[in-house]
């Protein structure tokens, strides 16, 4: 049985942005043939915490994924950044995924503890809150994607595929236990 991974991205939010790098990455992934996992895409979410959260939770309820990777653009970062936590009203939720273990397997990805205090963090917090209330809990991470260019695109794509593989392994280990 293939594991189901839900991947999300946002629309742009500033006039100078021609595209959102997280959505650009998901577009590349959507075009590749992926035999080891079933990927489901919820792209171009509105840059609004409440609307984005409603769409993602509705998709989670419909799809019942085995893992979730939410993505957002980080124009000023140079590497993929996996967010360890999200904060809302002084309450902090941490991902259940062992990011330290995951990072060791990657070449252009870093651990981050700052999800941005914008729509990315708002969505991540709400999705963590929802997925951690379920039984069984659904592993969820948020990844910030830097601007893609010729020098980083292949490395980022390779790391992102490794992240998907890691999320698949979490599902397999839960099924086998």
């Amino acid at each position: 049985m293939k594991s189901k991974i839900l991947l999300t991205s946002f629309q742009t939010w500033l006039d100078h942005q021609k595209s959102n790098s997280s959505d650009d990455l998901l577009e590349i992934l959507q075009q590749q043939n992926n035999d080891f996992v079933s990927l489901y895409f919820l792209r171009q979410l509105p840059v609004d915490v409440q609307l984005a959260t409603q769409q993602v939770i509705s998709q989670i309820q419909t799809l019942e994924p085995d893992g979730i990777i939410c993505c957002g653009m980080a124009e000023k970062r140079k590497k993929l950044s996996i967010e360890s936590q999200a904060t809302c009203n002084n309450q902090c939720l941490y991902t259940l995924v062992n990011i330290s273990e995951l990072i060791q397997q990657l070449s252009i990805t870093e651990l981050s503890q700052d999800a941005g205090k914008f729509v990315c963090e708002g969505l991540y917090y709400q999705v963590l809150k929802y997925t951690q209330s379920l039984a069984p809990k659904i592993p969820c991470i948020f990844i910030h994607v830097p601007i893609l260019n010729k020098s980083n695109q292949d490395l980022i794509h390779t790391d992102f595929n490794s992240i998907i593989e890691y999320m698949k392994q979490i599902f397999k280990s839960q099924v086998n236990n």
Side-chain angles (χ1 to χ4, degrees):
M1 172 166 87
K2 283 186 181 180
S3 58
K4 297 184 285 188
I5 307 290
L6 174 63
L7 299 118
T8 73
S9 66
F10 285 103
Q11 300 172 344
T12 59
W13 67 96
L14 297 173
D15 291 339
H16 74 275
Q17 296 167 335
K18 291 183 173 62
S19 65
N20 185 307
S21 59
S22 67
D23 190 61
D24 297 341
L25 181 59
L26 294 193
E27 182 177 9
I28 293 166
L29 290 167
Q30 203 166 14
Q31 293 173 9
Q32 77 184 24
N33 186 8
N34 198 324
D35 293 331
F36 66 93
V37 65
S38 295
L39 299 178
Y40 295 84
F41 296 88
L42 186 55
R43 295 178 49 203
Q44 297 278 324
L45 289 170
V47 182
D48 177 291
V49 174
Q50 184 176 355
L51 292 175
T53 299
Q54 289 171 350
Q55 288 183 29
V56 173
I57 290 176
S58 175
Q59 188 67 20
I60 292 167
Q61 291 168 340
T62 301
L63 180 61
E64 297 179 351
D66 305 308
I68 302 164
I69 303 173
C70 297
C71 302
M73 179 166 65
E75 287 182 292
K76 295 180 181 170
R77 297 186 192 184
K78 301 296 181 203
K79 298 180 174 186
L80 284 176
S81 304
I82 302 178
E83 303 299 337
S84 64
Q85 64 193 31
T87 304
C88 180
N89 297 325
N90 296 321
Q91 293 195 332
C92 186
L93 294 176
Y94 293 87
T95 181
L96 301 175
V97 175
N98 186 340
I99 296 174
S100 297
E101 178 182 89
L102 172 57
I103 293 284
Q104 292 174 2
Q105 303 172 29
L106 307 171
S107 64
I108 190 167
T109 304
E110 61 191 3
L111 172 66
S112 171
Q113 297 178 0
D114 182 3
K117 308 293 182 245
F118 188 47
V119 69
C120 294
E121 184 160 41
L123 175 67
Y124 191 28
Y125 181 88
Q126 294 303 324
V127 174
L128 284 174
K129 183 177 174 183
Y130 179 75
T131 58
Q132 291 178 10
S133 73
L134 300 173
K137 295 171 176 33
I138 301 172
C140 174
I141 57 175
F142 193 101
I143 300 176
H144 272 111
V145 180
I147 301 296
L148 300 177
N149 57 49
K150 289 179 184 177
S151 66
N152 71 7
Q153 184 171 318
D154 288 343
L155 291 169
I156 287 172
H157 184 248
T158 298
D159 268 13
F160 204 90
N161 276 323
S162 295
I163 293 166
I164 292 169
E165 176 64 25
Y166 187 86
M167 295 294 281
K168 178 188 119 181
Q169 294 304 324
I170 292 172
F171 169 71
K172 282 179 70 177
S173 69
Q174 288 175 343
V175 168
N176 293 332
N177 287 337

Short mmCIF file of all heavy atoms in Angstrom, two decimals, residues 148-173:
data_model
loop_
_atom_site.label_atom_id
_atom_site.label_comp_id
_atom_site.label_asym_id
_atom_site.label_seq_id
_atom_site.Cartn_x
_atom_site.Cartn_y
_atom_site.Cartn_z
N LEU A 148 14.13 29.57 -6.10
CA LEU A 148 14.80 28.55 -6.90
C LEU A 148 15.57 29.19 -8.04
O LEU A 148 15.07 30.11 -8.70
CB LEU A 148 13.78 27.55 -7.47
CG LEU A 148 12.93 26.78 -6.46
CD1 LEU A 148 11.92 25.90 -7.18
CD2 LEU A 148 13.80 25.95 -5.54
N ASN A 149 16.79 28.69 -8.26
CA ASN A 149 17.60 29.16 -9.38
C ASN A 149 18.40 27.98 -9.93
O ASN A 149 18.33 26.88 -9.39
CB ASN A 149 18.50 30.33 -8.96
CG ASN A 149 19.40 29.98 -7.80
OD1 ASN A 149 20.07 28.96 -7.81
ND2 ASN A 149 19.41 30.82 -6.77
N LYS A 150 19.15 28.23 -10.97
CA LYS A 150 19.90 27.14 -11.62
C LYS A 150 20.90 26.48 -10.68
O LYS A 150 21.15 25.29 -10.77
CB LYS A 150 20.62 27.66 -12.87
CG LYS A 150 19.68 27.98 -13.99
CD LYS A 150 20.41 28.50 -15.20
CE LYS A 150 19.39 28.89 -16.26
NZ LYS A 150 20.03 29.47 -17.44
N SER A 151 21.47 27.24 -9.76
CA SER A 151 22.50 26.67 -8.89
C SER A 151 21.94 25.86 -7.72
O SER A 151 22.64 25.02 -7.16
CB SER A 151 23.43 27.77 -8.36
OG SER A 151 22.72 28.63 -7.51
N ASN A 152 20.69 26.08 -7.32
CA ASN A 152 20.16 25.35 -6.15
C ASN A 152 19.00 24.40 -6.47
O ASN A 152 18.66 23.56 -5.65
CB ASN A 152 19.76 26.33 -5.05
CG ASN A 152 18.51 27.14 -5.37
OD1 ASN A 152 17.81 26.93 -6.36
ND2 ASN A 152 18.22 28.10 -4.52
N GLN A 153 18.40 24.54 -7.61
CA GLN A 153 17.17 23.80 -7.90
C GLN A 153 17.33 22.29 -7.81
O GLN A 153 16.51 21.61 -7.19
CB GLN A 153 16.62 24.19 -9.27
CG GLN A 153 15.29 23.53 -9.59
CD GLN A 153 14.65 24.07 -10.83
OE1 GLN A 153 14.66 25.26 -11.06
NE2 GLN A 153 14.10 23.19 -11.64
N ASP A 154 18.39 21.74 -8.39
CA ASP A 154 18.57 20.28 -8.35
C ASP A 154 18.81 19.78 -6.93
O ASP A 154 18.27 18.75 -6.52
CB ASP A 154 19.73 19.85 -9.26
CG ASP A 154 19.37 19.97 -10.74
OD1 ASP A 154 18.16 20.06 -11.06
OD2 ASP A 154 20.30 19.98 -11.58
N LEU A 155 19.62 20.51 -6.16
CA LEU A 155 19.89 20.13 -4.77
C LEU A 155 18.62 20.18 -3.92
O LEU A 155 18.35 19.29 -3.12
CB LEU A 155 20.97 21.02 -4.16
CG LEU A 155 22.38 20.85 -4.71
CD1 LEU A 155 23.29 21.97 -4.21
CD2 LEU A 155 22.93 19.49 -4.33
N ILE A 156 17.85 21.24 -4.10
CA ILE A 156 16.60 21.39 -3.35
C ILE A 156 15.63 20.28 -3.74
O ILE A 156 14.99 19.66 -2.88
CB ILE A 156 16.00 22.79 -3.56
CG1 ILE A 156 16.83 23.82 -2.79
CG2 ILE A 156 14.53 22.85 -3.16
CD1 ILE A 156 16.47 25.26 -3.06
N HIS A 157 15.53 20.00 -5.01
CA HIS A 157 14.64 18.94 -5.49
C HIS A 157 15.04 17.59 -4.91
O HIS A 157 14.19 16.81 -4.45
CB HIS A 157 14.66 18.93 -7.02
CG HIS A 157 13.71 17.96 -7.63
ND1 HIS A 157 14.13 16.84 -8.29
CD2 HIS A 157 12.35 17.93 -7.65
CE1 HIS A 157 13.08 16.16 -8.72
NE2 HIS A 157 11.99 16.79 -8.34
N THR A 158 16.34 17.31 -4.89
CA THR A 158 16.84 16.05 -4.33
C THR A 158 16.52 15.95 -2.84
O THR A 158 16.02 14.92 -2.37
CB THR A 158 18.37 15.93 -4.56
OG1 THR A 158 18.61 15.92 -5.97
CG2 THR A 158 18.93 14.66 -3.93
N ASP A 159 16.81 17.02 -2.08
CA ASP A 159 16.49 17.00 -0.66
C ASP A 159 15.00 16.85 -0.42
O ASP A 159 14.57 16.10 0.47
CB ASP A 159 17.00 18.28 0.03
CG ASP A 159 18.39 18.15 0.60
OD1 ASP A 159 19.09 17.16 0.26
OD2 ASP A 159 18.80 19.03 1.38
N PHE A 160 14.20 17.53 -1.21
CA PHE A 160 12.75 17.46 -1.01
C PHE A 160 12.25 16.04 -1.27
O PHE A 160 11.39 15.53 -0.53
CB PHE A 160 12.02 18.47 -1.90
CG PHE A 160 10.68 18.86 -1.35
CD1 PHE A 160 10.54 19.92 -0.48
CD2 PHE A 160 9.54 18.14 -1.69
CE1 PHE A 160 9.29 20.27 0.03
CE2 PHE A 160 8.30 18.47 -1.18
CZ PHE A 160 8.17 19.53 -0.32
N ASN A 161 12.77 15.38 -2.28
CA ASN A 161 12.39 13.98 -2.51
C ASN A 161 12.81 13.09 -1.34
O ASN A 161 12.09 12.16 -0.97
CB ASN A 161 12.99 13.47 -3.83
CG ASN A 161 12.14 13.84 -5.01
OD1 ASN A 161 10.92 13.84 -4.94
ND2 ASN A 161 12.78 14.18 -6.12
N SER A 162 13.97 13.38 -0.75
CA SER A 162 14.40 12.62 0.44
C SER A 162 13.47 12.87 1.61
O SER A 162 13.21 11.95 2.41
CB SER A 162 15.84 13.01 0.81
OG SER A 162 16.73 12.62 -0.20
N ILE A 163 12.98 14.08 1.74
CA ILE A 163 12.02 14.40 2.81
C ILE A 163 10.72 13.62 2.60
O ILE A 163 10.17 13.05 3.55
CB ILE A 163 11.76 15.93 2.87
CG1 ILE A 163 13.02 16.66 3.32
CG2 ILE A 163 10.57 16.24 3.77
CD1 ILE A 163 12.99 18.16 3.09
N ILE A 164 10.25 13.55 1.38
CA ILE A 164 9.05 12.77 1.07
C ILE A 164 9.28 11.31 1.43
O ILE A 164 8.44 10.65 2.05
CB ILE A 164 8.65 12.93 -0.41
CG1 ILE A 164 8.16 14.37 -0.67
CG2 ILE A 164 7.57 11.91 -0.80
CD1 ILE A 164 7.99 14.71 -2.13
N GLU A 165 10.45 10.79 1.07
CA GLU A 165 10.79 9.40 1.39
C GLU A 165 10.80 9.18 2.91
O GLU A 165 10.31 8.16 3.40
CB GLU A 165 12.15 9.03 0.78
CG GLU A 165 12.64 7.65 1.13
CD GLU A 165 11.78 6.51 0.60
OE1 GLU A 165 11.07 6.68 -0.42
OE2 GLU A 165 11.82 5.43 1.21
N TYR A 166 11.32 10.14 3.65
CA TYR A 166 11.36 10.04 5.12
C TYR A 166 9.93 10.00 5.68
O TYR A 166 9.63 9.20 6.56
CB TYR A 166 12.14 11.22 5.70
CG TYR A 166 12.37 11.13 7.19
CD1 TYR A 166 13.45 10.43 7.70
CD2 TYR A 166 11.50 11.75 8.09
CE1 TYR A 166 13.67 10.34 9.07
CE2 TYR A 166 11.71 11.67 9.46
CZ TYR A 166 12.79 10.97 9.93
OH TYR A 166 12.99 10.89 11.30
N MET A 167 9.06 10.86 5.15
CA MET A 167 7.66 10.87 5.61
C MET A 167 7.00 9.53 5.28
O MET A 167 6.21 9.02 6.07
CB MET A 167 6.90 12.03 4.96
CG MET A 167 7.41 13.41 5.37
SD MET A 167 7.17 13.82 7.11
CE MET A 167 5.43 14.28 7.11
N LYS A 168 7.34 8.95 4.15
CA LYS A 168 6.81 7.63 3.79
C LYS A 168 7.28 6.58 4.79
O LYS A 168 6.51 5.71 5.21
CB LYS A 168 7.27 7.26 2.38
CG LYS A 168 6.81 5.90 1.93
CD LYS A 168 7.45 5.52 0.62
CE LYS A 168 8.26 4.28 0.86
NZ LYS A 168 8.97 3.78 -0.27
N GLN A 169 8.54 6.66 5.20
CA GLN A 169 9.08 5.69 6.16
C GLN A 169 8.39 5.81 7.52
O GLN A 169 8.19 4.80 8.20
CB GLN A 169 10.60 5.88 6.31
CG GLN A 169 11.38 5.55 5.05
CD GLN A 169 11.12 4.14 4.53
OE1 GLN A 169 10.93 3.20 5.30
NE2 GLN A 169 11.09 3.99 3.23
N ILE A 170 8.02 7.02 7.91
CA ILE A 170 7.26 7.19 9.17
C ILE A 170 5.97 6.41 9.08
O ILE A 170 5.59 5.68 10.00
CB ILE A 170 6.98 8.69 9.46
CG1 ILE A 170 8.28 9.43 9.79
CG2 ILE A 170 5.98 8.84 10.60
CD1 ILE A 170 8.10 10.94 9.90
N PHE A 171 5.27 6.55 7.95
CA PHE A 171 4.02 5.83 7.77
C PHE A 171 4.23 4.33 7.81
O PHE A 171 3.51 3.61 8.49
CB PHE A 171 3.36 6.24 6.44
CG PHE A 171 2.22 5.36 6.05
CD1 PHE A 171 1.03 5.40 6.76
CD2 PHE A 171 2.32 4.48 4.98
CE1 PHE A 171 -0.04 4.58 6.42
CE2 PHE A 171 1.26 3.65 4.63
CZ PHE A 171 0.08 3.70 5.35
N LYS A 172 5.26 3.84 7.10
CA LYS A 172 5.53 2.40 7.08
C LYS A 172 5.83 1.89 8.49
O LYS A 172 5.39 0.81 8.86
CB LYS A 172 6.70 2.10 6.15
CG LYS A 172 6.30 2.10 4.68
CD LYS A 172 7.48 1.81 3.77
CE LYS A 172 7.91 0.38 3.91
NZ LYS A 172 9.01 0.03 2.99
N SER A 173 6.58 2.64 9.28
CA SER A 173 6.90 2.18 10.63
C SER A 173 5.66 2.17 11.52
O SER A 173 5.52 1.32 12.39
CB SER A 173 8.01 3.02 11.25
OG SER A 173 7.57 4.32 11.52
#
